[in-house]
């Protein structure tokens, strides 16, 4: 099932999401639906709050970029109850977008390396280090679980300039090729 994407202006995107336990009903289906929803919207990552569920899950799939960036091979995963243990390395600036902020792209400064502990789709505990674009995608999605969006990580002046566009998004006054909704 494809969910509509919850857009900026919806309070759920500003909440700290809660952890789930292994018995969470319909977890398998939910993960499948999250992947399906992400593909439909042509995204590389999707966090549960973006489909209206305030729980600590996000999915990623960067494998379509494998030709340009071989490190993206196998980067298709579900992260359940993730915890960033450490942000390492230098930071770098890269242009980012977000399915909940349609048509906005901004330069965002992030760490190049992240150590993360999480449960996979079978609720097995994992701890891994990711670098480069993978580290960026993970940090972006992880932020969603804490109610943070990439526009919070750009200079305030830059953010001010986006006010009109943000206002339009919060009224769903934006033309996007996937279903969006404002969740009051
Ligand atoms: Zn996002």
């Amino acid at each position: 099932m494809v969910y509509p994407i919850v857009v900026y202006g919806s309070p759920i995107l500003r909440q700290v999401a809660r952890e789930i336990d292994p018995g969470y009903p319909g977890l398998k289906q939910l993960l499948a639906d999250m992947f399906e929803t992400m593909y439909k919207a042509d995204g590389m990552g999707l966090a549960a709050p973006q489909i209206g569920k305030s729980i600590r899950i996000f999915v990623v799939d960067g494998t379509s970029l494998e030709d340009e960036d071989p490190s993206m091979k196998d980067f298709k995963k579900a992260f359940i109850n993730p915890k960033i243990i450490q942000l390492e390395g230098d930071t770098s600036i890269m242009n980012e977008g977000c399915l909940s902020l349609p048509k906005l792209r901004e330069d965002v400064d992030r760490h190049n390396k992240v150590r993360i502990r999480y449960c996979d789709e079978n609720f097995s505990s994992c701890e891994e280090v990711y670098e480069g674009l993978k580290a960026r995608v993970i940090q972006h999605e992880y932020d969603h679980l804490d109610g943070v969006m990439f526009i919070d990580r750009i200079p305030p002046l830059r953010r001010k300039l986006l006010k009109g566009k943000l206002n339009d998004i919060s009224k769903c006054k934006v033309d996007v090729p996937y279903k969006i909704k404002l969740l009051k």
Side-chain angles (χ1 to χ4, degrees):
M1 161 188 175
V2 173
Y3 285 86
I5 304 279
V6 172
V7 291
Y8 171 84
S10 307
I12 194 166
L13 293 178
R14 292 318 204 169
Q15 289 167 12
V16 175
R18 64 180 165 80
E19 293 200 333
I20 61 162
D21 16 87
Y24 187 84
L27 178 60
K28 213 172 168 175
Q29 186 59 47
L30 175 62
L31 293 174
D33 291 345
M34 285 179 70
F35 277 107
E36 196 183 347
T37 301
M38 176 175 73
Y39 295 140
K40 188 85 182 168
D42 208 15
M44 210 191 306
L46 181 76
Q50 293 180 280
I51 57 161
K53 297 186 185 295
S54 194
I55 52 177
R56 299 186 81 80
I57 302 180
F58 64 82
V59 297
V60 300
D61 189 347
T63 56
S64 67
L65 292 180
E66 196 192 325
D67 285 345
E68 304 147 54
D69 184 347
S71 77
M72 298 306 270
K73 187 181 182 297
D74 301 330
F75 190 54
K76 180 190 171 191
K77 273 167 180 291
F79 293 80
I80 301 169
N81 298 339
K83 177 107 189 113
I84 289 184
I85 307 294
Q86 206 173 4
L87 292 168
E88 301 168 40
D90 297 335
T91 64
S92 59
I93 289 172
M94 206 173 154
N95 205 248
E96 281 187 27
C98 176
L99 296 178
S100 296
L101 291 162
K103 298 207 161 160
L104 272 196
R105 293 202 71 92
E106 290 291 325
D107 286 343
V108 184
D109 198 18
R110 293 194 192 270
H111 281 270
N112 293 330
K113 209 168 168 184
V114 59
R115 175 179 290 274
I116 189 168
R117 193 177 292 154
Y118 65 97
C119 293
D120 65 13
E121 66 279 12
N122 302 315
F123 248 90
S124 303
S125 184
C126 311
E127 186 177 320
E128 283 154 1
V129 175
Y130 290 93
E131 293 181 47
L133 182 55
K134 290 187 277 193
R136 176 168 296 268
V137 173
I138 285 171
Q139 288 170 76
H140 177 118
E141 299 310 328
Y142 186 86
D143 268 353
H144 278 302
L145 307 184
D146 287 337
V148 175
M149 300 182 84
F150 81 76
I151 46 164
D152 305 329
R153 299 194 180 277
I154 64 174
L157 197 64
R158 188 68 212 144
R159 196 159 52 239
K160 242 180 202 165
L161 296 173
L162 297 177
K163 218 175 161 190
K165 283 184 183 174
L166 290 172
N167 202 30
D168 284 348
I169 291 171
S170 70
K171 293 182 176 131
C172 291
K173 282 202 304 200
V174 55
D175 193 24
V176 273
Y178 52 88
K179 253 201 189 151
I180 55 172
K181 77 166 183 185
L182 185 71
L183 192 63
K184 289 280 183 191

